[in-house]
Amino acid sequence: MVSDTLTRDEMIALLDWYRAAGVDMAVSEQPVDRFVQSAQLPKSVGSAAQKPAMPQLRPQAPAQGAPQVAATESREASPQMAQELAAKAQTLDELKELLAGFEGCGLKLRATNLVFADGNPQADIMFVGEAPGRDEDLQGKPFVGRSGQLLDRMLAAIGLDRTRVYIANTVPWRPPGNRTPTPAETSVCLPFLYRQIELVAPKVLVTLGGAASSTLFETTTGITRLRGQWRELTIADHTMQAMATLHPAFLLRQPAAKKLVWQDLLSIRAALDAV
């Protein structure tokens, strides 16, 4: 058994690793050693009557308070309901409070914290990413992991820091295992992002990565073709200059692409100087 070979700290570290990978639910209360089962199988498959009977998994009623996978689907609200709720917020604090109490997105079930925003809401420039990762989920702030550290260095290269920018995501809760948010999850969270952009009213908006860019620009064009191009973007009654660039997480995997982002950063600096 695991408990016979691992210390308490090692077991906690293993559970944390499982959680970071998106494994947050057991399928049975008793562990099953599949390796032992495999070793006990006969070498000759033979007929079905000769095969050892495999244990039948029967549906069981979940224990009280246990999470249910099906609940993710049932909690999805309609984008119209989300839009009506988001429209009630007159300030960013009100919007954050409404979002914290919103039960219409199943991602909230497994997230540790709501990741609303970071930075200065009075800033002229706003950055929008896709969804929180593990570090962001734990701290409740966007872009605080390795990609966030790189984003900080990118900002510093053009004379900016988090006191002079505002940062948010299209989805404010971490998807299990850092998977891509589903279209339903994105669409139900989008009205809150639209209202967030409207309340911040940035003069310049920069989308980070393909997911955020395709969502806000409503396009299927790939990020490598979309990046670096300025366009007018209107959210509700607010119009701003907007541009897509590569996500810092992509740059960590493909450092050679940093030269493209450097061109985008210089263009962003020039746009800010012009407003």
Side-chain angles (χ1 to χ4, degrees):
M1 298 293 293
V2 174
S3 59
D4 294 333
T5 58
L6 298 180
T7 66
R8 179 178 179 276
D9 290 341
E10 289 172 335
M11 291 177 65
I12 292 175
L14 180 60
L15 290 173
D16 287 341
W17 184 86
Y18 279 140
R19 184 178 184 279
V23 180
D24 54 8
M25 183 183 302
V27 296
S28 174
E29 294 184 358
Q30 297 298 326
V32 178
D33 192 331
R34 303 297 181 186
F35 294 102
V36 172
Q37 287 185 346
S38 298
Q40 292 174 347
L41 290 176
K43 295 182 179 179
S44 176
V45 176
S47 64
Q50 295 174 331
K51 296 179 182 179
M54 297 297 290
Q56 298 296 314
L57 297 179
R58 300 180 180 274
Q60 300 179 358
Q64 186 175 2
Q68 302 180 37
V69 175
T72 300
E73 296 297 332
S74 63
R75 289 170 68 97
E76 297 296 344
S78 69
Q80 183 178 357
M81 293 172 57
Q83 184 176 4
E84 293 172 357
L85 183 62
K88 297 179 180 179
Q90 300 303 309
T91 66
L92 289 170
D93 288 338
E94 290 180 7
L95 183 65
K96 182 178 181 180
E97 185 176 352
L98 287 172
L99 193 52
F102 182 59
E103 300 295 336
C105 181
L107 291 177
K108 184 179 180 180
L109 284 171
R110 294 172 179 162
T112 302
N113 286 301
L114 167 70
V115 182
F116 184 69
D118 192 24
N120 183 0
Q122 305 300 321
D124 288 334
I125 183 170
M126 179 174 179
F127 290 84
V128 178
E130 180 185 16
R134 178 180 181 274
D135 293 318
E136 290 76 15
D137 180 49
L138 293 175
Q139 298 187 36
K141 290 184 178 182
F143 287 93
V144 293
R146 290 184 62 216
S147 61
Q149 295 168 11
L150 178 55
L151 177 60
D152 288 342
R153 295 196 294 271
M154 291 162 57
L155 295 176
I158 55 173
L160 298 175
D161 57 34
R162 297 205 180 208
T163 66
R164 302 179 64 185
V165 303
Y166 187 78
I167 308 172
N169 282 311
T170 55
V171 172
W173 293 288
R174 180 200 180 196
N178 291 349
R179 64 163 172 79
T180 301
T182 66
E185 291 163 349
T186 299
S187 63
V188 81
C189 293
L190 200 53
F192 294 99
L193 175 63
Y194 283 161
R195 185 59 178 154
Q196 194 172 12
I197 294 173
E198 188 179 8
L199 291 171
V200 175
K203 297 177 181 177
V204 175
L205 185 139
V206 179
T207 56
L208 300 169
S213 302
S214 61
T215 297
L216 285 176
F217 293 133
E218 298 181 349
T219 180
T220 57
T221 302
I223 184 61
T224 54
R225 293 180 56 190
L226 192 65
R227 55 147 291 274
Q229 302 177 33
W230 287 104
R231 64 196 67 204
E232 279 195 350
L233 180 65
T234 299
I235 302 294
D237 295 327
H238 179 67
T239 300
M240 71 216 94
Q241 294 297 311
M243 186 181 74
T245 192
L246 302 178
H247 196 286
F250 177 80
L251 300 179
L252 291 174
R253 300 190 300 269
Q254 301 289 340
K258 290 181 179 180
K259 61 182 180 182
L260 299 176
V261 176
W262 176 239
Q263 298 172 9
D264 297 343
L265 290 173
L266 293 177
S267 183
I268 291 169
R269 179 70 266 178
L272 283 174
D273 292 338
V275 298

